[in-house]
Amino acid sequence: MVYGCNAGQEKKAVVFAVGGAPGEVMVWEEVARAFTDESGIPMRILRQPTDTAQRRQGLLVALGSAQRDPDVFLMDIAWLGLFAAGGWLAPLGDVALEPFFIETVRQADIVDGQLIALPFSLDVGIVYYRTDLLTEPVPRTWQALAAAAARAQTRIQPHTPGFYGFVWQGAQYEGLVVNFLDFAGSQGGFLVAGDRILVDSPHNVAALAMMVDFIHTQAISPPNTYTEMKEEEVRRHYQGGDALFARNWPYAYPLHAAEGSPVRGKTGVMPLPAPENGSPAATLGGWHVGVSAFSDARAEAIQFALYLTSRPVQKLLALKLGLPPGRRELYTDEDILEKYPHYELLAEILRSARSRPILPNYTLISEIMQRRLSGALARDYSPAQALAMAQQEIDRMMARTRRDPPGSRPR
Ligand code: GLC
């Protein structure tokens, strides 16, 4: 919406809500400035935290009360079902979708035939490892990873007590669910079976038992895994030189490689391991750009969303922040491959990565999972008990929300 109509006219700023790791917001500000220079549309950045649930909460308050701002925002793929069901996303119109990861677009961004978001960035877990400390071949199985982690720890922990073999995201939040699904997927488990949300399966129990074992029995993962470890805690731990392996997202790559980083030039990237005789699995993460249905600058906000997902901007953000683009074509881009040789591997992992269920009530499922997985990691109950309890609670919640779906409200 443009306020004023002649000399001295002021355009309303498009408000863009975005968060992320340290340093990210600065880059977003640059991008917003470049957009303003090109389009004449003023922009304002609404800074959000790093944690996905906190980011979601901030947006829910605004959207749930039909506020006009923010106009445009990034959404975790994990909340898309909820936002779409709420009717909070404005259709983006006709966009050429072939250059994007089309399967992801079909699964996540098209609802009732309307394009309601675009994949700004896709995400998958990878394992960073210290090339100078790993004395054996890059491990392909969880057993081999655990053995290498234990050996390095025995060698290094006596003089560096904070050193651990393997760090990953085990705090009670969305990242725990993703880490669990990575482990579970590689054991042949996951979160869905046909139409049912199936958590309590032998494969999933085995995966959770392995996570507990890594912390408490083999002790290759630190005791604060389940009290503190989110993406940034894991990154700092590894980057500080205190781990052999770290499971994290691609955003950590340029930070590990930055000037002054103790692990610069000593970090390799490998896929998540698989079980003996199994194949690796990765859970699809990522961030999609959407425009608020309540925006009073809808056309301008859509223009910005298209700008963010345009080839040059996606390339710039990949180069600056390491965020894997939603445009498939960029994974063969020479400049990107020169800076990030691991993009070839990322493209391969992305091809078979599995999304968490895109459902209006996924966040409720996740909250149950977070609580029960965390209880198992703290050894309040066994992995089998944890997943049996989670299953019961999820079944009850699903029955309840079938009658009264989240996001559905009188309009
Ligand atoms: C990353 C992923 C996102 C996931 C989150 C969990 O930001 O892109 O999909 O939900 O991590 O912490």
Side-chain angles (χ1 to χ4, degrees):
M1 177 79 57
V2 177
Y3 295 126
C5 47
N6 38 42
Q9 73 178 18
E10 286 225 343
K11 283 188 178 173
K12 180 209 174 266
V14 169
V15 180
F16 174 43
V18 69
E24 251 180 62
V25 174
M26 264 158 43
V27 176
W28 289 113
E29 272 163 3
E30 272 174 49
V31 169
R33 263 196 307 276
F35 173 72
T36 302
D37 289 347
E38 204 178 292
S39 65
I41 299 170
M43 293 290 300
R44 189 158 67 79
I45 303 259
L46 191 68
R47 289 176 179 233
Q48 292 202 288
T50 309
D51 183 312
T52 170
Q54 291 169 11
R55 286 171 77 166
R56 185 184 73 231
Q57 217 40 47
L59 293 173
L60 282 184
V61 171
L63 294 167
S65 56
Q67 287 172 29
R68 277 173 291 193
D69 290 336
D71 302 284
V72 52
F73 35 76
L74 292 190
M75 295 168 286
D76 190 337
I77 188 170
W79 344 314
L80 264 171
L82 175 66
F83 279 42
W88 298 329
L89 300 172
L92 300 179
D94 278 341
V95 178
L97 298 172
E98 298 72 40
F100 292 92
F101 279 89
I102 193 76
E103 274 316 309
T104 306
V105 174
R106 281 206 193 102
Q107 246 190 315
D109 301 315
I110 297 180
V111 174
D112 298 334
Q114 304 257 39
L115 183 73
I116 43 97
L118 277 170
F120 163 73
S121 161
L122 267 54
D123 235 356
V124 274
I126 45 183
V127 179
Y128 297 95
Y129 66 93
R130 287 285 296 278
T131 48
D132 57 328
L133 298 181
L134 183 66
T135 49
E136 43 280 275
V138 171
R140 299 278 168 233
T141 64
W142 287 113
Q143 287 80 351
L145 177 141
R151 274 194 294 273
Q153 218 170 279
T154 313
R155 227 169 48 235
I156 299 166
Q157 222 176 38
H159 54 88
T160 310
F163 186 93
Y164 277 89
F166 180 37
V167 286
W168 42 278
Q169 294 81 35
Q172 190 178 332
Y173 80 121
E174 181 64 33
L176 170 58
V177 178
V178 181
N179 277 248
F180 166 71
L181 291 178
D182 283 348
F183 284 102
S186 72
Q187 306 278 352
F190 205 64
L191 196 54
V192 263
D195 285 343
R196 180 161 184 237
I197 299 293
L198 179 68
V199 189
D200 187 12
S201 70
H203 294 307
N204 286 355
V205 172
L208 184 53
M210 186 166 78
M211 296 162 83
V212 174
D213 187 59
F214 283 172
I215 303 173
H216 297 287
T217 313
Q218 303 195 47
I220 53 170
S221 302
N224 69 345
T225 299
Y226 58 96
T227 50
E228 282 172 314
M229 288 293 194
K230 297 186 180 182
E231 283 81 11
E232 275 295 280
E233 285 74 12
V234 166
R235 181 186 64 80
R236 286 196 297 263
H237 194 98
Y238 175 83
Q239 195 165 325
D242 284 336
L244 175 62
F245 298 108
R247 184 257 178 234
N248 214 334
W249 306 96
Y251 87 93
Y253 189 96
L255 299 169
H256 290 153
E259 220 161 299
S261 157
V263 297
R264 179 183 166 94
K266 303 179 192 162
T267 292
V269 172
M270 60 181 237
L272 289 157
E276 313 269 10
N277 311 319
S279 47
T283 311
L284 182 68
W287 294 81
H288 294 235
V289 58
V291 168
S292 164
F294 311 110
S295 162
D296 55 354
R298 189 188 278 204
E300 293 83 351
I302 291 179
Q303 203 176 324
F304 181 69
L306 297 181
Y307 177 78
L308 273 193
T309 47
S310 68
R311 185 180 171 130
V313 177
Q314 290 250 291
K315 179 166 171 175
L316 179 95
L317 281 156
L319 287 171
K320 290 215 168 185
L321 298 175
L323 302 177
R327 282 183 179 260
R328 190 197 289 271
E329 51 181 351
L330 284 170
Y331 291 75
T332 46
D333 181 278
E334 278 176 19
D335 300 326
I336 291 189
L337 282 172
E338 194 188 318
K339 182 159 184 198
Y340 302 131
H342 65 287
Y343 261 55
E344 210 175 316
L345 173 67
L346 286 184
E348 197 185 311
I349 304 176
L350 281 169
R351 262 196 289 278
S352 57
R354 270 204 284 178
S355 164
R356 287 153 280 175
I358 300 179
L359 294 173
N361 51 12
Y362 170 74
T363 52
L364 300 177
I365 297 171
S366 171
E367 276 160 20
I368 295 171
M369 298 283 294
Q370 291 169 30
R371 206 169 50 247
R372 293 311 179 189
L373 294 171
S374 179
L377 295 188
R379 289 201 293 192
D380 291 342
Y381 24 77
S382 72
Q385 284 167 330
L387 295 186
M389 286 190 280
Q391 186 70 58
Q392 246 185 22
E393 290 164 34
I394 289 173
D395 287 345
R396 267 203 307 264
M397 184 276 292
M398 293 296 279
R400 200 173 58 239
T401 53
R402 222 164 276 135
R403 297 189 301 268
D404 177 19
S408 68
R409 60 201 160 76
R411 312 212 74 213

